[in-house]
Amino acid sequence: MSRFFTTGSDSESESSLSGEELDTKPVSGNYGRRPLLLSEDEEDTKRVVRSAKDKRFEELTNLIRTIRNAMKIRDVTKCLEEFELLGKAYGKAKSIVDKEGVPRFYIRILADLEDYLNELWEDKEGKKKMNKNNAKALSTLRQKIRKYNRDFESHITNYKQNPEQSADEDAEKNEEDSEGSSDEDEDDDGVSAATFLKKKPESSGDSRKFLKKMEDDEEDSEDSEDDEEWDTSSTSSDSDSEEEEGKQTVLASKFLKKAPTTEEDKKAAEKKREDKAKKKHDRKSKRLDEEEEDNEGGEWERVRGGVPLVKEKPKMFAKGTEITHAVVIKKLNEILQARGKKGTDRATQIELLQLLVQIASENNLGEGVIVKIKFNIIASLYDYNPNLATYMKPEMWQMCLDCINELMDILVAHSNIFVGENILEESENLHNFDQPLRVRGCILTLVERMDEEFTKIMQNTDPHSQEYVEHLKDEAQVCAIIERVQRYLEEKGTTEEICQIYLRRILHTYYKFDYKAHQRQLTPPEGSSKSEQDQAENEGEDSAVLMERLCKYIYAKDRTDRIRTCAILCHIYHHALHSRWYQARDLMLMSHLQDNIQHADPPVQILYNRTMVQLGICAFRQGLTKDAHNALLDIQSSGRAKELLGQGLLLRSLQERNQEQEKVERRRQVPFHLHINLELLECVYLVSAMLLEIPYMAAHESDARRRMISKQFHHQLRVGERQPLLGPPESMREHVVAASKAMKMGDWKTCHSFIINEKMNGKVWDLFPEADKVRTMLVRKIQEESLRTYLFTYSSVYDSISMETLSDMFELDLPTVHSIISKMIINEELMASLDQPTQTVVMHRTEPTAQQNLALQLAEKLGSLVENNERVFDHKQGTYGGYFRDQKDGYRKNEGYMRRGGYRQQQSQTAY
């Protein structure tokens, strides 16, 4: 009531004025005003004005809601980021908090977050499974929350003793609960922050829902006014009598609720509650009816029970549109413009392009348009996964193969279609059939990307699962497509394109053993006629002939070093795989790849390492143990054979590279079906080292300056010697060490039993294509080297020994024994002579005694000391390294003295 219309005494006017002022709603906040119902034309132009308190509290509750969502998914990093923002937002709201007090919902999130972090900290198993970022964030956030909560310790203690629902939880409740609790939390003076958050619209952009909320607020305010009128009417008689007692009593009677004292008051209160519930139900049903009307208008759609909506396929063209080349190309460009943009559904884009192909074929627009759309479909399939490391899904992969086959069918069937990446879009000819059709696109690029995707699929599949086998069957389709593109480019492609597609064919051929060609070499068809032989040869081109033809074309025509280098390495690998040792060795030596391979890119270096390993295994199969050892020395001595061959990463080197480098190196890994057995590789190397090292150790037993041929082999020997209890060998390495000890004593039979047995056959020797030949060769080499070791070790015991005795001991024929001893005498490894009539070996006593050996060692050390002193003196004089340095008498040649058995190490100098 306005004071301008008041009548009566001054005291009455003052009392009424004070009462009116107390009854007035606060006008500073938006929620305190009665909302205006806006027309649909004015909905987008009106703004909602809110107080600073509401803005700050809303900012806090939004951050709290984000933190709770992060807590549900155990994203501690997100919790840490939002907690820091929450602290800053609380600092901005400090002035409001000082007036109003700390909000209950803020205390609740601090308490819940601290309890949540303590649970995560105590969960040891969960901490182990966390990634690095989450674990680091957990430790940081735990320290920060403990330090931060010290300022709110009393509030948190009171909250835990009497927990209540906070504002952020109320905001997340469903609509029905929020409506039911709105009247209870509302008081007569205004609206609390929690109530405001409850009535906040879910979507800021939805103006219609916002207006519905405003209408609900108006109805709630009307209910509250009705309650006030009901209270004032029931107490009107009392207020007249209480005016004489004073102003305080009047105010108390107006604002304090009175407990029902009589039965009538109780019935009236129950009736009031029933009326309120009825009004609430009516409002709810009215709102549901309005939403259903909106749904009929097609603006909103209610999803019930989580049933997915069936979307209609988008219409490509309006009804009655004439389908022409220009219309289809325009539609194609519209679809392609959305490619790569954020929010574009790639699967839908592929479906639209396929639908466009159907429309083009139904309207007979020609093969040029279809080829252009097919190129874009395949490109969209490759771009389906934005992440480079992610491989294609099986259905997408199969769709890609089918599209490429369909594209090749069109290109092969229509020779008047020319495709190329050099054709500009302005110069394309898609519909003028009088001239050759020209389409922009590169079929070679599509095939190379297809090959890369196949490699990526094989890299990301478990090699020990059936799924890997199923994916490996797709290689036949990949090879067939490459062959089709090869035949197409041989007719219409350039020299560079032919070289690139030849290399793709080589990369799918070089590692495969040609069993059919191998079988034809072993068992030539003698009884069959000549026509049958020709037919058998024409069934399939031998891989050796194919590799020769493809590689020679690249050697002659290629202008890039990388393609030629890869072709040479694949050619050498294929030769070595099929036991053509001399061709592989000559090609490797003539190419001089070992001189510049360190400057090549990592995939080429991996291919070089694989080729050298295969070359060493080939030499071992041929019985050339020294060549095998030299070829495998670099790979095996590094201790990183697995990494150098691209067959895995070493755990110890994970600290030396970051996550991005590790991803790059994983993409370089070779698929499992190309792997070389690392245990076979190590066994070949150790056996070759044993056959070289044991005779050398026996010949230089007393040599102080004895060098090691293989450090890894010596390491295995030392490991075997350190074992306190020697049992039967179990692993491959233990078998080789036990065989080495037996060979050192000249016991070739024991050595043979350790190297060739059922366990070693299953692990190593049966993996060779011609396992029996390898085992026969190995027995022969063990017998020969055991004979050499026996003569080096026991030559000082014998005056003479019969060659027949040696032949019986080592089960070698007499000419072989004669040949081995003759080579040892010629090379001055054994100081002896052969008596031909009696077939005996006569030993010459020329080996020094123990004192003479010590004296010789002392003389060698003094000689090396003199050489070092002379080098230092020449360096000071400035003549060190001059041409006449080797002419001085003080510089001795590296000629050793006579050892046991008369072995002399000579440095032969030959003038050419």
Side-chain angles (χ1 to χ4, degrees), residues 194-206:
T195 310
F196 171 73
L197 290 172
K198 290 181 208 172
K199 297 180 181 179
K200 185 180 64 175
E202 293 179 359
S203 175
S204 59
D206 187 3

Side-chain angles (χ1 to χ4, degrees), residues 191-234:
V191 186
S192 65
T195 310
F196 171 73
L197 290 172
K198 290 181 208 172
K199 297 180 181 179
K200 185 180 64 175
E202 293 179 359
S203 175
S204 59
D206 187 3
S207 60
R208 181 165 299 183
K209 286 193 173 183
F210 177 75
L211 289 176
K212 290 177 185 176
K213 289 289 184 181
M214 298 292 286
E215 291 173 2
D216 295 342
D217 293 343
E218 184 180 4
E219 291 174 359
D220 292 341
S221 63
E222 290 175 357
D223 292 344
S224 62
E225 288 177 4
D226 293 339
D227 298 342
E228 290 174 5
E229 291 175 3
W230 188 83
D231 289 337
T232 53
S233 63
S234 62

Side-chain angles (χ1 to χ4, degrees), residues 5-23:
F5 297 95
T6 56
T7 57
S9 63
D10 296 337
S11 60
E12 290 177 355
S13 63
E14 289 176 359
S15 63
S16 62
L17 176 62
S18 61
E20 290 293 335
E21 289 176 352
L22 289 171
D23 284 340

Side-chain angles (χ1 to χ4, degrees), residues 700-707 853 857 860-861 899:
H700 299 79
E701 188 174 1
S702 58
D703 189 358
R705 301 177 66 180
R706 183 181 65 193
R707 62 181 180 87
N853 276 328
Q857 293 177 18
E860 289 178 356
K861 290 181 180 179
R899 307 287 184 265

